[in-house]
Amino acid sequence: MNRLEAEFAAAGIDFSKIGFYDDPMFMACEQRDNKYLEKYAEYILGKEYTPEYIERAKNEIPFIARLLNEELIKDGRLGACIDISIGLSRILEQEGFWNYIPKGSLTIEFPSHSKISKKYFWTVDIGNFKAGHVWVVAPPFSVIDLSIKQQAYPDNAGEYLPNFICSKSDKIAIINDSDIISPEAFLAMKREGIRSRWMYYIKPNWGEFQRIFRPIQVEENNLSLKYITTGISAPDMPIEKVETLKLSGKITIEVYNDIIIPKLKEFRAANK
């Protein structure tokens, strides 16, 4: 039994079940420690998976991701990173796949010939928003981003972006504070007298957090994408009650029952 398993067991948490952040004992610990959800994500990153599990995950997770992304594109909704990630997370759990939801920042660098400037989704910015960007981690996939193309880009950036990202990249991204904090937010912080150690002011355990949740660089379609985790999120209700994600009039459980399950059954039959 490792350190986290011993801690969960001592707290009376059944850590054998996927999605055990729903366990009442886990939620009680989370009420006392608002960073407790980070332990769930750390457990998933450090967990040992059987070769059979990894093989099934490598085959089925991209298939599920593509189906859900197709529904998002059909619906036409933009900026749905939080809701689509929650929907994907709950669907993956139903299918027996461990996963968690990072929230953080994303920097996209386009090929030079595109003449498109870098795009930033900052964690710290001016205005009212819940997160810079949100995606899913489901081993062996380090980044699953279903809304990367479905954003309100002011130029033709979307033409260079894939419909979705499902990457096993383990390349550590080189980042700086400007990937996480917008220029306007920098100015506001300076006015408050903050002149250094910006991220430690925002997240006091930043050093330790980064050692566990390393920023990942994904290279795809001649693009460079830096996914920088700054926090961990999770659905706050079961899949049957997730109504924030509605695609072509279907809530998450309806998308799962009507689209994902039948097509996944066909996929499995064809790949026996």
Side-chain angles (χ1 to χ4, degrees):
M1 183 176 288
N2 64 31
R3 171 183 59 85
L4 286 173
E5 289 174 341
E7 182 175 341
F8 294 145
I13 298 167
D14 181 1
F15 56 86
S16 67
K17 295 180 180 178
I18 292 174
F20 65 79
Y21 57 84
D22 288 326
D23 187 311
M25 300 305 291
F26 186 98
M27 289 189 283
C29 291
E30 192 179 6
Q31 287 179 347
R32 295 191 294 270
D33 178 2
N34 61 8
K35 295 184 179 64
Y36 207 73
L37 199 54
E38 294 173 8
K39 296 179 187 287
Y40 179 79
E42 183 183 356
Y43 175 74
I44 289 174
L45 286 179
K47 182 176 171 60
E48 291 187 9
Y49 301 93
T50 65
E52 293 77 16
Y53 176 95
I54 293 297
E55 188 63 24
R56 187 169 76 90
K58 283 164 61 177
N59 291 328
E60 294 186 3
I61 289 176
F63 183 77
I64 294 168
R66 181 177 62 78
L67 291 178
L68 196 53
N69 174 256
E70 286 173 353
E71 293 306 309
L72 178 64
I73 292 172
K74 285 178 192 175
D75 180 81
R77 181 177 169 187
L78 302 178
C81 65
I82 296 174
D83 294 338
I84 198 74
S85 295
I86 289 172
L88 175 62
S89 178
R90 281 304 197 194
I91 288 170
L92 291 178
E93 288 172 353
Q94 292 294 119
E95 291 301 324
F97 294 116
W98 291 90
N99 73 90
Y100 68 90
I101 304 174
K103 55 183 179 180
S105 299
L106 168 63
T107 300
I108 309 173
E109 188 169 355
F110 293 81
S112 57
H113 65 81
S114 71
K115 297 185 172 21
I116 298 174
S117 60
K118 283 184 182 180
K119 300 296 182 223
Y120 293 93
F121 295 80
W122 289 293
T123 295
V124 184
D125 200 359
I126 304 300
N128 184 22
F129 63 99
K130 293 182 179 178
H133 197 53
V134 175
W135 57 98
V136 171
V137 172
F141 297 98
S142 55
V143 175
I144 308 174
D145 184 353
L146 300 189
S147 65
I148 182 69
K149 194 180 183 77
Q150 296 295 105
Q151 301 290 335
Y153 297 107
D155 47 28
N156 64 333
E159 296 177 12
Y160 291 86
L161 293 164
N163 285 341
F164 68 99
I165 300 285
C166 194
S167 174
K168 298 194 293 288
S169 174
D170 59 0
K171 184 176 182 179
I172 306 304
I174 298 172
I175 65 170
N176 52 52
D177 291 343
S178 61
D179 286 307
I180 302 170
I181 307 169
S182 75
E184 293 78 10
F186 269 124
L187 289 174
M189 293 170 75
K190 285 178 180 178
R191 284 195 293 268
E192 293 179 12
I194 303 163
R195 302 288 174 178
S196 63
R197 292 178 62 82
W198 311 89
M199 282 307 302
Y200 286 89
Y201 176 79
I202 297 159
K203 192 172 184 66
N205 69 328
W206 178 238
E208 177 188 356
F209 183 88
Q210 259 211 312
R211 284 191 291 274
I212 299 168
F213 304 103
R214 306 298 297 275
I216 296 295
Q217 182 165 324
V218 175
E219 295 175 355
E220 193 161 330
N221 287 15
N222 293 317
L223 301 167
S224 176
L225 306 99
K226 298 179 187 178
Y227 286 87
I228 307 161
T229 301
T230 59
I232 305 298
S233 185
D236 59 0
M237 56 186 63
I239 189 171
E240 294 82 5
K241 295 184 179 180
V242 176
E243 297 186 359
T244 51
L245 179 66
K246 188 173 288 188
L247 301 176
S248 303
K250 293 179 183 287
I251 61 173
T252 301
I253 188 63
E254 292 170 331
V255 172
Y256 177 57
N257 287 335
D258 299 348
I259 298 169
I260 305 295
I261 289 178
K263 291 188 177 180
L264 190 55
K265 185 177 180 181
E266 293 175 3
F267 177 80
R268 287 169 174 160
N271 288 275
K272 275 187 175 178

